[in-house]
Amino acid sequence: MKSKGLVLLIILSMVTFLWGCGKSTPASGGETSVLDGGAGESATELSYWTFVELHGQHFEKMLEKWNEANPDRQIKLNVTVMPYDDMHNKLSIAVQTGVGAPDIADIELGKYPDFMQGTPQLESLNDVAEPYQGTVVQSQLDLYSKEGTLYGLSTHVGATVAFYNTEVLEEAGVDYKTIVTWEDFKQAGIQVYEKTGKTMGTADTSATWQSSMLLAQQGADFTDDAGNPQVNSEALVKGLSMLKDLQDNNVITTIAGGQPDTEEAYGEYNSGNFVSAFMPLWQMSRYTNYMKDLSGKIAIAPLPVMEEGMPRSYGGGGTATVVSKTAKDVQLAKEFIAYAKLSLDANIEIWNTLGFDPINMDVWDMKDVTHNEDNQFVQYFVNNPFDVLNEIKDEIQLIKSVSASPTINNVLCTVTLNEIFEDGKDVKQALEDAQAQIEQELK
């Protein structure tokens, strides 16, 4: 294993993130629960909005630790879980008007550029993050900064991996470890379909996970160096054409919900109808919580590549925790989220509770934590996730999130990918039309 300094240098040079489109919220929207964390009657009540139910579970654990360590500054947390779009829309209106905003909120990376327009109406977190600089991946601080001011605290690195259902693969006579290239994946998928009738993977229509991984391994992006859209690039045409060929050969097909991270898709995977998913490591928590029947059957591996030697991962997804300017106790809220997101203890809990790859990479070397046999993720998966992470840690690539990203996402996820994989539209033409529409909307 390389030294931490080298790892940090590599990660610093490759910001590891991706916006997502069409995120789902497993919990029903608008549900609020009060977490007291063992706090007394004099505790300060803070509100927290999120679109991921599991994030509340992490904050519950960290709240207990905070209250125990800070008897004179105890907190009760009112956690409200809302659907992805509803939460971000309500939060945007609240912070712009200064009325009705929660004290603390999560903002997904794809929506984050919208909150950075003009003068951000969020609190600076520079002071509370400063003690952790040098111990967490700096790029994850830079990711949510604007002009030197940090406004959000990251949750994970988001290294993207392949998840394989080994039970179905074994039935078809396929060893997932032999899948190195997309051609390997194609041949394995043809064999799986012929012998089991199952589909090897998905043709995503409501998310850009697949588009992003294929761009990243070619060293390309959705935008140029100036942040201008370039979705009609040769790299994206090549990548989506390859996926279309896989679809034509019954290797992949569209899935209910449009991507692996939806309630509808969880049922399809749990039934064994789809054999693989290419998702950020945080997808592990979806398996353990919503696909329990697959326990002991799912292996984790590097992504297939077009040519051997290409990078086998990219940073996928991202969520920033922020503090609003109207927070009841701004400094208390800031210090609590720094403790809950950046401390070593927090990063250990982020792995233990959420199954995320921590931004404090000291945890990656802590075998007593990463290989703990009592850990639910270690127990669930066929192989240890950190064995794969440490294999690909130098290969995690960059997909930028810029001001044009929400528009690009919207067009690709609501129009273009459906045209290609549902309607059979020519890939090059679909991307040319997407480029024109995006440019028109950005005028």
Side-chain angles (χ1 to χ4, degrees):
M1 178 174 294
K2 298 183 179 179
S3 68
K4 182 178 75 173
L6 180 55
V7 171
L8 291 177
L9 178 62
I10 292 166
I11 297 295
L12 279 166
S13 67
M14 303 182 303
V15 180
T16 57
F17 64 93
L18 166 73
W19 65 85
C21 43
K23 293 289 188 303
S24 66
T25 305
S28 51
E31 295 186 352
T32 299
S33 57
V34 179
L35 308 178
D36 64 22
E41 294 183 1
S42 62
T44 300
E45 289 195 20
L46 298 177
S47 55
Y48 166 52
W49 289 3
T50 184
F51 56 97
V52 180
E53 179 186 14
L54 299 174
H55 289 185
Q57 295 181 16
H58 170 69
F59 271 89
E60 182 174 15
K61 288 183 178 292
M62 296 312 297
L63 184 65
E64 293 174 359
K65 293 176 180 290
W66 170 273
N67 285 339
E68 183 177 355
N70 297 275
D72 298 328
R73 305 181 71 208
Q74 293 190 332
I75 298 170
K76 290 183 180 179
L77 205 60
N78 296 320
V79 180
T80 300
V81 181
M82 288 182 263
Y84 176 81
D85 285 321
D86 287 355
M87 194 219 76
H88 286 96
N89 291 339
K90 290 177 181 178
L91 182 63
S92 179
I93 293 170
V95 298
Q96 288 174 18
T97 62
V99 178
D103 301 298
I104 300 167
D106 282 342
I107 302 177
E108 196 267 336
L109 184 56
K111 296 290 188 180
Y112 197 75
D114 294 339
F115 290 83
M116 292 295 102
Q117 299 292 333
T119 301
Q121 297 304 300
L122 302 170
E123 283 291 331
S124 167
L125 303 175
N126 286 29
D127 58 329
V128 295
E130 195 279 332
Y132 301 100
Q133 289 190 345
T135 62
V136 300
V137 178
Q138 181 64 37
S139 64
Q140 290 295 317
L141 300 179
D142 297 340
L143 176 56
Y144 298 110
S145 298
K146 179 180 180 180
E147 297 174 355
T149 300
L150 174 66
Y151 293 102
L153 301 182
S154 183
T155 310
H156 57 68
V157 173
T160 300
V161 297
F163 295 90
Y164 292 114
N165 184 326
T166 57
E167 182 178 59
V168 177
L169 290 179
E170 287 170 3
E171 181 183 348
V174 173
D175 180 358
Y176 77 91
K177 295 177 183 177
T178 65
I179 300 174
V180 176
T181 66
W182 285 108
E183 181 60 28
D184 297 334
F185 181 81
K186 177 181 177 179
Q187 296 307 318
I190 291 172
Q191 188 167 328
V192 165
Y193 185 78
E194 289 177 347
K195 295 196 174 183
T196 70
K198 304 293 180 64
T199 303
M200 189 68 172
T202 62
D204 293 352
T205 54
S206 69
T208 57
W209 309 118
Q210 293 177 334
S211 302
S212 299
M213 70 183 177
L214 293 169
L215 285 174
Q217 63 187 230
Q218 296 179 77
D221 207 313
F222 293 100
T223 58
D224 61 21
D225 291 341
N228 300 310
Q230 53 177 22
V231 301
N232 58 344
S233 66
E234 290 184 11
L236 192 52
V237 171
K238 180 178 180 180
L240 293 183
S241 295
M242 186 195 73
L243 292 181
K244 183 61 181 172
D245 176 66
L246 294 178
Q247 184 185 33
D248 292 342
N249 283 277
N250 298 314
V251 176
I252 63 174
T253 189
T254 54
I255 190 171
Q259 56 144 323
D261 186 28
T262 66
E263 287 184 87
E264 303 94 324
Y266 302 151
E268 294 281 5
Y269 275 98
N270 204 41
S271 299
N273 295 331
F274 287 82
V275 180
S276 69
F278 304 109
M279 294 294 292
L281 199 77
W282 47 255
Q283 186 75 358
M284 289 198 308
S285 64
R286 299 348 186 218
Y287 280 97
T288 57
N289 282 277
Y290 308 116
M291 295 171 273
K292 296 183 184 295
D293 291 348
L294 299 180
S295 180
K297 302 176 184 178
I298 303 299
I300 298 171
L303 295 175
V305 290
M306 293 180 176
E307 299 175 11
E308 289 193 53
M310 284 183 169
R312 297 173 294 168
S313 186
Y314 73 97
T319 300
T321 303
V322 303
V323 173
S324 68
K325 285 187 173 295
T326 56
K328 182 181 300 181
D329 188 328
V330 167
Q331 195 60 31
L332 179 62
K334 287 167 53 172
E335 291 182 16
F336 171 66
I337 68 168
Y339 172 75
K341 299 294 285 288
L342 302 182
S343 68
L344 180 61
D345 201 23
N347 276 259
I348 291 173
E349 286 298 336
I350 282 173
W351 158 243
N352 285 335
T353 303
L354 302 177
F356 294 171
D357 41 357
I359 63 173
N360 187 326
M361 294 187 74
D362 282 348
V363 179
W364 292 35
D365 292 334
M366 299 171 66
K367 281 213 165 187
D368 58 326
V369 173
T370 63
H371 289 65
N372 178 8
E373 293 183 359
D374 294 328
N375 179 280
Q376 62 172 320
F377 305 106
V378 173
Q379 292 177 348
Y380 184 100
F381 292 93
V382 170
N383 54 333
N384 187 278
F386 279 89
D387 290 345
V388 180
L389 284 176
N390 281 312
E391 179 184 346
I392 62 175
K393 67 188 176 188
D394 299 349
E395 303 176 46
I396 304 170
Q397 297 298 291
L398 161 67
I399 291 291
K400 301 188 297 296
S401 184
V402 297
S403 60
S405 298
T407 301
I408 293 170
N409 268 9
N410 185 59
V411 172
L412 293 180
C413 295
T414 61
V415 179
T416 310
L417 295 175
N418 281 284
E419 288 179 336
I420 293 170
F421 296 116
E422 294 283 10
D423 304 334
K425 187 172 183 177
D426 176 73
V427 171
K428 186 173 178 58
Q429 186 60 54
L431 292 177
E432 290 289 353
D433 292 347
Q435 179 74 16
Q437 182 177 345
I438 292 165
E439 289 177 352
Q440 179 63 34
E441 292 187 14
L442 289 174
K443 284 184 178 178

